[in-house]
């Protein structure tokens, strides 16, 4: 009797979902959007409102002339569905204008060397001195601690470390990998084919630069399987690791302790201990130089 009742409830729910979906399909834009996806119908009907959001964002993009007039939830991005290993996800994809901005930023960062560092900001001097010493003394045979450089937005954290690492790569032929941490996590999740190859590189490359740790959404997977594994391996192999963050190490500990709505202070503590062993802690609080 109980079972029968539940089946009926489920059937009612599916019926409602179907009606809802069919109603939305009356909108020609929505219909066209859905038809292009070629997704199975049972998957579609459960997420009508999310697909409607995606469709609206595609419409917003149609006549848009540039990021300055972006109407979407996340500026320069489009909310979009994606199927990975038969599971449906919704992500934010950069639009054509945002891609250009990213390319430009990446290109300008790829080129900067230590000689490009403008030394006029007094607040940066201590960091620049530290980077100069690191460059002079760096030796692959000995193990060197990197930096945990935290501080205010736009103060030059990423810029300064990038200049040092580009210099080491070009003039001392050190292998460098730089990752913007929130993107790296997304990328590992989505690109299963290259997962082990990428992880192996993060674990073993001469110098790893994890940019903007603390800006990611914490999940147990990202914290324990990815970050924890990478940092443990780097400690074991005595490899140099750099971090930048808007959070102090204490704030990062707090940030990492809450994953998927559950609190785990022990796991977070473990990550923090590894970061402390791998780095020296420095702060850079200065004016925002981003235009
Ligand atoms: P953060 O990572 O701290 O948020 P960034 O490193 O992205 O900040 O710095 C913002 C911008 O400021 C950089 O793109 C760069 O153009 C400029 N900048 C910061 N410090 C310097 C410097 N010492 N010399 C030249 N440009 C700098
Ligand atoms: Mg930065």
């Amino acid at each position: 009797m109980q079972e029968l009742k539940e089946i009926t409830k489920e059937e009612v729910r599916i019926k409602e979902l179907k009606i809802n979906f069919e109603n939305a399909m009356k909108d020609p834009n929505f219909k066209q959007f859905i038809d292009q996806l070629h997704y199975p119908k049972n998957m579609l009907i459960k997420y009508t409102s999310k697909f409607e959001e995606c469709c609206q964002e595609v419409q917003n993009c149609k006549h848009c002339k540039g990021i300055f007039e972006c109407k979407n939830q996340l500026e320069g991005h489009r909310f979009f569905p994606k199927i990975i290993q038969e599971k449906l996800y919704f992500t934010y994809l950069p639009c054509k204008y945002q891609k250009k901005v990213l390319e430009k930023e990446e290109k300008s960062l790829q080129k900067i060397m230590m000689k490009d560092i403008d030394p006029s900001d007094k607040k940066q001097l201590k960091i620049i001195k530290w980077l100069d010493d690191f460059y002079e003394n760096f030796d692959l045979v000995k193990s060197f601690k990197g930096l945990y450089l935290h501080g205010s937005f736009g103060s030059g954290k990423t810029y300064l470390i990038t200049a040092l690492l580009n210099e080491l790569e070009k003039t001392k032929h050190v292998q460098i990998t730089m990752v913007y941490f929130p993107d790296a996590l997304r990328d590992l999740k989505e690109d299963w084919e290259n997962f082990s190859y990428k992880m192996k590189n993060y674990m073993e490359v001469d110098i790893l630069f994890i940019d903007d740790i603390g800006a990611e959404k914490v999940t147990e997977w990202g914290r324990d399987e990815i970050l924890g594994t990478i940092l443990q391996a780097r400690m074991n192999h005595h490899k140099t690791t750099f971090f930048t963050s808007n959070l102090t190490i204490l704030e990062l500990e707090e940030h990492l302790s809450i994953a998927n709505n559950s609190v785990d202070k022990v796991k977070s503590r473990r990550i923090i201990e590894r970061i402390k062993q791998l780095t020296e802690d420095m702060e850079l609080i200065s004016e925002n130089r981003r235009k």
Side-chain angles (χ1 to χ4, degrees):
M1 197 58 196
Q2 184 71 28
E3 210 170 289
L4 209 96
K5 215 167 140 192
E6 270 171 23
I7 290 170
T8 340
K9 247 196 210 161
E10 179 62 10
E11 278 174 355
V12 170
R13 197 178 73 90
I14 290 180
K15 209 169 183 180
E16 276 171 7
L17 288 173
K18 269 189 188 154
I19 292 172
N20 201 2
F21 179 75
E22 294 306 339
N23 274 337
M25 285 292 267
K26 287 177 190 154
D27 173 356
N29 284 333
F30 185 76
K31 185 173 183 322
Q32 193 188 17
F33 177 74
I34 293 292
D35 288 347
Q36 279 169 359
L37 292 172
H38 300 292
Y39 286 178
K41 192 165 178 188
N42 59 349
M43 190 181 263
L44 291 165
I45 59 167
K46 286 188 203 150
Y47 301 98
T48 304
S49 63
K50 281 223 155 107
F51 284 113
E52 279 177 325
E53 279 176 48
C54 296
C55 173
Q56 181 57 50
E57 300 225 321
V58 170
Q59 303 308 318
N60 291 346
C61 288
K62 264 189 186 158
H63 305 288
C64 171
K65 294 191 188 66
I67 290 188
F68 59 92
E69 61 170 57
C70 177
K71 293 198 189 82
N72 289 350
Q73 304 169 39
L74 179 62
E75 193 180 86
H77 292 77
R78 186 180 296 176
F79 191 55
F80 213 79
K82 204 168 185 179
I83 293 182
I84 305 160
Q85 298 195 321
E86 289 164 35
K87 269 181 85 177
L88 177 68
Y89 295 88
F90 289 88
T91 54
Y92 292 94
L93 301 178
C95 72
K96 58 181 178 188
Y97 303 117
Q98 177 70 8
K99 274 189 193 151
K100 276 205 185 120
V101 171
L102 290 174
E103 269 166 31
K104 232 186 193 168
E105 267 183 24
E106 210 170 280
K107 260 193 204 136
S108 59
L109 277 175
Q110 267 167 20
K111 278 191 253 150
I112 53 161
M113 302 292 270
M114 288 178 79
K115 67 166 170 42
D116 300 316
I117 295 177
D118 159 19
S120 64
D121 181 352
K122 297 242 174 350
K123 304 231 172 73
Q124 289 184 346
L125 280 185
K126 209 173 128 200
I127 316 287
I128 296 174
K129 168 85 174 63
W130 190 99
L131 300 174
D132 280 340
D133 288 346
F134 186 96
Y135 178 80
E136 287 308 322
N137 300 323
F138 186 75
D139 175 355
L140 280 176
V141 186
K142 294 189 213 118
S143 94
F144 274 80
K145 276 196 175 191
L147 270 189
Y148 180 81
L149 183 57
H150 64 93
S152 54
F153 179 83
S155 60
K157 302 181 295 297
T158 303
Y159 187 89
L160 295 175
I161 293 178
T162 305
L164 166 73
L165 299 186
N166 283 344
E167 194 77 39
L168 285 167
E169 187 171 48
K170 301 249 161 64
T171 60
K172 296 198 176 184
H173 309 290
V174 184
Q175 298 168 10
I176 310 279
T177 296
M178 309 189 208
V179 289
Y180 180 67
F181 194 55
D183 286 351
L185 284 177
R186 199 173 315 134
D187 188 46
L188 282 170
K189 200 163 157 191
E190 290 178 3
D191 185 11
W192 273 101
E193 271 171 40
N194 297 308
F195 179 86
S196 342
Y197 164 79
K198 283 180 182 161
M199 277 299 276
K200 188 169 162 21
N201 178 53
Y202 294 151
M203 283 159 33
E204 295 174 6
V205 65
D206 295 336
I207 298 184
L208 176 68
F209 174 20
I210 299 185
D211 192 21
D212 241 345
I213 189 168
E216 75 288 357
K217 182 174 170 293
V218 182
T219 62
E220 285 170 3
W221 175 80
R223 178 190 60 201
D224 309 328
E225 316 276 317
I226 305 301
L227 190 57
T229 309
I230 293 171
L231 300 186
Q232 184 63 49
R234 299 196 66 77
M235 274 168 51
N236 297 347
H237 299 133
H238 305 287
K239 298 287 189 184
T240 304
T241 312
F242 282 83
F243 299 85
T244 65
S245 181
N246 290 328
L247 307 178
T248 65
I249 202 116
L250 259 176
E251 289 165 341
L252 183 68
E253 184 168 352
E254 185 68 34
H255 172 78
L256 289 174
S257 67
I258 306 160
N260 314 95
N261 291 326
S262 74
V263 178
D264 194 330
K265 298 217 153 146
V266 178
K267 296 243 170 74
S268 164
R269 180 91 226 145
R270 206 173 288 159
I271 302 279
I272 296 298
E273 285 309 324
R274 289 174 193 160
I275 295 178
K276 282 185 175 167
Q277 292 211 30
L278 286 164
T279 60
E280 285 181 39
D281 189 0
M282 288 183 98
E283 184 171 74
L284 177 58
I285 294 180
S286 190
E287 69 175 289
N288 178 5
R289 292 173 67 147
R290 259 181 235 175
K291 283 150 230 127

